[in-house]
Amino acid sequence: MKMVAIDMDGTLLHSDRHISETTSETIKELQKDHKFVISTGRSLTDAMNIVADAGIAADGFVCGNGAVIADKDGNILERFSMDVPTATKVAHWLNDHEFYFHLGTSEGHYATKDAYQFFLNDLEAYGESHSDATKLKQAIRTQADRQIQMMGLNLLPSPEDIPKHSFIPYKFLVLSLFPEKLEDIKNAWEGHPHIEFTTSGTDNLEIMPPDVDKGRGIRFMADHLKIEQQHTVAIGDNYNDVPMFEAAGLSIAMGNADDYIKSITDETTVHHNEDGVAKAIQRFILS
């Protein structure tokens, strides 16, 4: 094996969104003879910053679930965008139906002025269905606030403002604590010729341009690095990782993945909070 593509959330990162020292040191050992590629739904800026903070350097980046592919220095090699009229219509529908969402673009993440209130409304309703509502709501809000601060959201006063911007729309991330509400989005937009859906958890839905996924991304990166596809490894934990599992020569699921994800991969490692990536590298690649 010569190239290892690794998902971030639920895989490379612990629950507090950091890469452990154990994993960082293992990746440095891996890179003596292998290429290390990030494959994530996060933006290129987020991915590069998190890797740099851990004191490691990726050999390439597949970001936005394949919408943006960049070399080790962050130079964009290929990108796929959502057309502006479609992005505007989707944003308008999501805002009218009071969903929290942000739009990933070439100039960062954008959210409408009402988005955070929609999140708080969702959180209030969710808390009412749980006995320990106050503690639960505070924990979720704290984690969400930290995540929003890390992303550095830009204000989109109204969906109608999207065509006024010079940014390139890549994808939407919609969050809800009610999976059935996310299904409403799929039911309303399923079959639209200019969008597809994926997810990295039960609390989110990602709305993508068609034919864009992590599988295409790691195939491109393997070609760029002159590595044959059968010599690639993919490590991940969720449904947006399935295309890269299918593309890789060896696929490894995290211990925290659900049973379906584990059933379609070649191997399974331990939980992401137990340095599952480091253990997978040591057991299946370096041994």
Side-chain angles (χ1 to χ4, degrees), residues 42-43 45-46 100 102 108-109 144-154 173 175:
R42 287 177 177 262
S43 72
T45 300
D46 285 345
Y100 171 84
H102 59 253
H109 294 95
D145 287 347
R146 184 184 301 118
Q147 184 71 9
I148 289 170
Q149 184 177 16
M150 285 174 61
M151 288 190 302
L153 285 176
N154 298 298
L173 176 66
L175 301 177

Side-chain angles (χ1 to χ4, degrees), residues 15 31 33 42 67 75 87 89-90 103 107 121-122 142 144 175 186 193 201 206 262 276 278:
S15 294
Q31 287 181 293
D33 295 300
R42 287 177 177 262
N75 300 310
K89 290 177 184 177
V90 171
L103 174 61
E107 297 178 8
N121 294 345
D122 211 39
T142 299
L175 301 177
K186 294 177 71 174
E206 299 184 64
K262 293 174 183 176

